């Protein structure tokens, strides 16, 4: 009987192994074209909120990714600086579409969709190629360039399945320079968290859906916080909009919310104090291994009742 049951399960086991083996080491995500009819309703913004204030100095956010289509209408008056770590000296083009989506989540100007924070300078750091693949040398180079630019936050919406030589050292240098680093936990189908999110001094972000249920693709384990990451809408590299899913995109929402939090004051010990500061903006929604300390939100009071009505798992 047991042999027969194992025989029935074998195809599922093989399929699971194939999915893991074929998962992109960096930048794994799902995307489909979103219908555009004026303002696009995006459930994620109802959960995270938007910070429109522009009275303080802009937060400097480095997006290490596949590049950004800076010609998209949502970025028309947004200030960018760029560095191409894949092909140094060449103008950045986002052929993969991943980085443009992250930029939209963080800072879209509200033409048809809106980013979490409006008072930003985006540092477009290309470390992934047109297939979403990246060499560790490019990633380290991008981190070092971001350190030299004195950015406030580095957003890494991808990960490596194993630790890579030199990666932690570059992360440690950034943190020592008071730079907050957010990273995608990974789309590992409930398995272990990717690197650099696995590192203690990096904020690891998992993803959940509009019913506060964990994204089935999301990693579990060393999770610090969670954010919306299933069927969310953002800018695409074709100048339009798409629906995206994955921890890459929840990381963008977390970065935007954190940027709003640190924008309220200048802190020379920002990295050391960041979890204490974030705690005032967090709603616990489930197990620590899945959701970490909880959802980072600028709409905490409004969400409490909504969360209390849900059965979280």
């Amino acid at each position: 009987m047991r042999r027969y049951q194992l025989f029935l399960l074998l195809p599922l086991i093989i399929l699971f192994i194939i999915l893991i083996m074929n998962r992109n080491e960096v930048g794994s995500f799902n995307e489909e074209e979103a219908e555009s009819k004026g303002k696009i309703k995006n459930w994620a913004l109802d959960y995270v909120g938007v910070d429109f204030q522009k009275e303080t100095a802009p937060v400097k956010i480095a997006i290490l990714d596949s590049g950004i289509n800076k010609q998209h209408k949502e970025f028309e008056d947004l200030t960018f600086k760029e560095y191409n770590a894949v092909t140094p000296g060449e103008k950045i083009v986002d052929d993969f579409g991943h980085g443009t989506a992250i930029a939209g989540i963080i800072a879209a100007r509200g033409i048809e969709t809106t980013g979490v924070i409006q008072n930003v300078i985006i540092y477009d750091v290309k470390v992934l190629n047109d297939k979403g693949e990246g060499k560790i040398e490019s990633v380290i180079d991008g981190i070092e360039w971001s350190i030299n630019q004195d950015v406030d936050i580095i957003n890494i919406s991808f990960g490596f399945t194993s630790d890579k030589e030199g990666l932690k050292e570059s992360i440690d240098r950034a943190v020592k320079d008071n730079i907050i680093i957010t990273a995608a936990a990974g789309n590992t189908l409930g398995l272990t968290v990717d690197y650099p999110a696995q590192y203690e001094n990096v904020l690891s972000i998992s993803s959940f859906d509009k019913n506060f249920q964990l994204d089935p693709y999301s990693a579990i384990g060393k999770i610090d916080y969670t954010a919306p990451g299933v069927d969310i809408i953002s800018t695409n590299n074709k100048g339009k909009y798409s629906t995206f899913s994955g921890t890459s995109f929840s990381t963008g929402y977390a970065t935007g919310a954190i940027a709003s939090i640190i924008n309220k004051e200048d802190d020379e010990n920002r990295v050391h104090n960041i979890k204490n500061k974030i705690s005032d903006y967090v709603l616990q929604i489930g197990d620590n291994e899945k959701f970490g300390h909880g959802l980072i939100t600028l709409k905490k009071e409004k969400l409490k009742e909504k969360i209390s009505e849900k059965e979280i798992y």
Side-chain angles (χ1 to χ4, degrees):
M1 181 67 177
R2 289 181 179 177
R3 288 182 180 178
Y4 177 70
Q5 290 174 329
L6 180 61
F7 177 77
L8 291 177
L9 287 172
L10 191 58
L12 292 176
I13 294 171
I14 292 172
L15 177 61
F16 182 81
I17 293 172
I18 290 172
L19 285 170
I20 292 295
M21 294 299 292
N22 286 332
R23 182 174 64 91
N24 286 337
E25 191 170 43
V26 290
S28 178
F29 70 103
N30 299 320
E31 173 190 2
E32 61 182 59
E33 197 78 15
E35 192 172 352
S36 176
K37 293 181 179 178
K39 285 284 186 178
I40 298 171
K41 184 169 177 55
N42 188 0
W43 71 267
L45 289 179
D46 293 335
Y47 288 49
V48 177
V50 179
D51 182 353
F52 289 103
Q53 77 84 22
K54 295 186 178 181
E55 297 173 357
T56 59
V59 181
K60 297 183 287 187
I61 302 176
I63 299 176
L64 272 63
D65 217 289
S66 60
I68 299 168
N69 173 13
K70 294 183 278 294
Q71 304 307 309
H72 199 293
K73 63 184 178 182
E74 295 288 354
F75 306 139
E76 186 174 341
D77 65 345
L78 187 59
T79 300
F80 285 98
K81 296 187 179 181
E82 70 170 51
Y83 177 68
N84 192 335
V86 176
T87 51
E90 290 190 13
K91 185 175 176 60
I92 289 178
V93 177
D94 181 16
D95 290 319
F96 188 50
H98 195 266
T100 301
I102 302 303
I105 288 169
I106 294 172
R109 310 317 269 172
I111 308 301
E112 294 191 40
T113 188
T114 308
V116 178
I117 183 168
Q118 300 295 293
N119 192 24
V120 291
I121 297 173
I122 297 296
Y123 292 72
D124 178 11
V125 188
K126 185 176 178 67
V127 297
L128 307 181
N129 63 19
D130 60 359
K131 297 179 181 178
E133 300 166 342
K135 296 179 179 179
I136 188 61
E137 293 82 7
S138 298
V139 176
I140 292 172
D141 187 20
I143 293 172
E144 295 296 333
W145 182 83
S146 300
I147 293 172
N148 292 333
Q149 298 299 308
D150 194 30
V151 302
D152 300 309
I153 304 175
I154 295 176
N155 183 102
I156 304 177
S157 283
F158 58 87
F160 296 95
T161 55
S162 60
D163 200 357
K164 299 294 182 182
E165 185 177 355
L167 180 59
K168 188 172 191 307
E169 287 79 1
S170 64
I171 292 288
D172 290 345
R173 284 192 290 275
V175 170
K176 187 178 179 181
D177 272 28
N178 206 29
I179 298 172
I180 296 166
I181 300 179
T182 60
N187 305 322
T188 65
L189 297 170
L191 298 180
T192 188
V193 171
D194 284 342
Y195 292 90
Q198 186 78 247
Y199 299 140
E200 189 62 33
N201 55 2
V202 173
L203 301 182
S204 171
I205 313 299
S206 68
S207 62
F208 66 87
D209 65 20
K210 62 183 177 182
N211 294 313
F212 297 101
Q213 307 305 325
L214 187 72
D215 177 356
Y217 283 88
S218 181
I220 62 174
K222 190 268 178 182
I223 303 296
D224 292 296
Y225 302 99
T226 192
V230 179
D231 294 333
I232 58 90
I233 296 171
S234 188
T235 46
N236 67 27
N237 60 341
K238 301 176 182 68
K240 297 182 179 180
Y241 303 86
S242 291
T243 301
F244 300 88
S245 296
T247 60
S248 296
F249 311 102
S250 59
T251 302
Y253 280 108
T255 293
I258 293 168
S260 174
I261 294 166
I262 69 170
N263 196 31
K264 300 180 188 307
E265 56 187 280
D266 187 20
D267 188 351
E268 293 181 357
N269 296 307
R270 181 191 304 123
V271 172
H272 179 73
N273 297 327
I274 189 59
K275 288 189 177 181
N276 287 334
K277 292 183 182 299
I278 291 175
S279 64
D280 291 334
Y281 298 84
V282 169
L283 279 175
Q284 187 173 4
I285 62 174
D287 296 341
N288 287 350
E289 279 197 339
K290 296 178 180 179
F291 303 100
H293 299 293
L295 163 63
I296 308 174
T297 175
L298 308 178
K299 305 176 70 173
K300 184 174 180 178
E301 295 305 316
K302 291 184 178 180
L303 278 185
K304 280 183 178 180
E305 185 176 347
K306 184 184 288 285
I307 288 179
S308 68
E309 296 172 352
K310 300 292 182 179
E311 184 178 347
I312 312 296
Y313 60 86

